[in-house]
Amino acid sequence: MADDTIASIIPLHHAPLKKREKKAARSGTTRRRKKKATVVAAEEAEGAESFLPSEFLIPPEFLPANDVAGELPVPSTPAPADPVQAGAAPPRRHLAAVLLSIAALALAAVGITINGWFARSLGSSDIAGWLFLAVGVAADLVALVMPSCAAGLWHSGQRATALVGWAVWVMTFVFAVTAGIGFASTNISDVTIARASRMTPAVASAQGALNDAMAARDRECKSGVGKFCREREAAVVERRQVLDSAMASVGQSADAQSDAAIKLVTWISGGMLRPKLEDFAMLRLILLALLPQIGGILLLVARHSATNSAA
């Protein structure tokens, strides 16, 4: 009776066990196939080159049926870093900051040279000249670096010190601009005078005609003042006016830039604006004196641009 009971119990429990094993094997095989297909599809979509584990190289039907371990590791490729989140500076803004810094240093070098040369020319002796040179160079260096220092102090909360720095910069900037005005005016006037006094064919012809008229007058008026003497004197006056007119024409062409600018402004405005020669000369003088002294401002802008592009 016991044997019949045991025999009847074993088949009842043995058959479901085989079914569960087969089901587990099929589910494990199906899972591995799905996992392998997912990994292959991910690699084809992302174009990543990675090495698969050895389990992916074995067909599922050759794997053990009871191998229902955890899921296989899925190879992953690191996501590309965002250049903005990684802190990489945009190339264009970084290049603009570099070029602006180079321009600021170039203008600063020109300004230092101008101020040093003009300050030294004011000395009555060699020692005084070198002392003026030192003052001019030091003042221009202060005008170059003080804007960046004052702006940094202002942002760090030291407002009083920053205001003192800006006040010092204003003094050195005005000093540098006045030195630039002296340098530009001296050289421009020398060049203009040299150009105005040059001998042109018109001036040479007028000068020769005047000399002949003066010689004829002297011969005619040697014996006394008469009708012919007065005619020769009038001829001398006429030849002198021609010479003055020729020399004035040369003087006007000595500053061809101002003359062309005046004509251009008059043409653009339709004759409503007619600036004089002195107006454009003053504008040019201000620009020539001011531009070499703005290196400090350009350096400040370049510094802030580089900081913002790196942020």
Side-chain angles (χ1 to χ4, degrees):
M1 186 67 179
D3 296 334
D4 296 338
T5 306
I6 294 173
S8 62
I9 292 173
I10 291 175
L12 291 176
H13 293 279
H14 185 66
L17 180 60
K18 290 182 178 180
K19 291 182 179 179
R20 287 197 299 272
E21 289 178 354
K22 292 180 179 179
K23 185 177 181 180
R26 286 196 300 270
S27 63
T29 303
T30 305
R31 184 181 301 173
R32 286 192 294 274
R33 286 178 178 176
K34 291 181 177 180
K35 194 63 179 179
K36 183 177 180 180
T38 303
V39 173
V40 173
E43 288 182 347
E44 292 179 354
E46 299 178 359
E49 296 181 358
S50 59
F51 294 95
L52 296 176
S54 61
E55 288 82 359
F56 290 94
L57 304 177
I58 302 175
E61 56 269 14
F62 292 99
L63 293 175
N66 56 355
D67 187 11
V68 291
E71 297 181 359
L72 296 175
V74 179
S76 61
T77 56
D82 190 359
V84 177
Q85 295 179 357
R92 292 184 178 179
R93 296 183 62 181
H94 182 69
L95 180 61
V98 172
L99 293 178
L100 197 59
S101 300
I102 295 175
L105 294 178
L107 287 175
V110 174
I112 291 173
T113 305
I114 288 175
N115 293 340
W117 178 89
F118 183 75
R120 190 175 184 276
S121 66
L122 298 177
S124 59
S125 62
D126 290 339
I127 297 178
W130 286 110
L131 290 176
F132 281 139
L133 172 65
V135 171
V137 172
D140 207 87
L141 288 175
V142 172
L144 174 65
V145 301
M146 186 57 72
S148 299
C149 296
L153 291 172
W154 184 271
H155 286 295
S156 63
Q158 303 180 20
R159 304 297 175 85
T161 308
L163 291 176
V164 173
W166 283 114
V168 173
W169 175 79
V170 169
M171 290 188 296
T172 55
F173 180 77
V174 172
F175 176 81
V177 170
T178 55
I181 291 174
F183 175 84
S185 60
T186 301
N187 287 272
I188 291 175
S189 61
D190 291 344
V191 172
T192 303
I193 292 173
R195 289 177 179 177
S197 60
R198 70 184 185 274
M199 185 64 67
T200 62
V203 174
S205 177
Q207 184 68 46
L210 177 60
N211 293 334
D212 293 340
M214 293 176 64
R217 180 201 60 185
D218 293 341
R219 288 194 302 269
E220 192 64 35
C221 298
K222 183 182 298 184
S223 59
V225 178
K227 177 181 178 181
F228 296 102
C229 178
R230 287 191 291 270
E231 290 178 356
R232 297 293 181 269
E233 187 67 31
V236 169
V237 173
E238 183 180 355
R239 298 293 187 273
R240 193 182 300 276
Q241 290 178 354
V242 173
L243 178 61
D244 293 340
S245 178
M247 294 182 65
S249 178
V250 173
Q252 290 179 357
S253 63
D255 193 357
Q257 182 185 21
S258 300
D259 186 59
I262 291 171
K263 292 179 180 178
L264 181 62
V265 172
T266 305
W267 178 76
I268 292 176
S269 63
M272 298 178 62
L273 297 177
R274 295 181 179 273
K276 298 181 180 179
L277 187 65
E278 292 78 8
D279 298 333
F280 186 80
M282 290 297 103
L283 177 61
R284 180 180 57 190
L285 182 61
I286 292 174
L287 293 177
L288 289 176
L290 188 62
L291 287 178
Q293 316 305 331
I294 62 173
I297 301 298
L298 293 181
L299 202 61
L300 174 64
V301 174
R303 174 188 172 188
H304 282 281
S305 177
T307 302
N308 294 333
S309 62

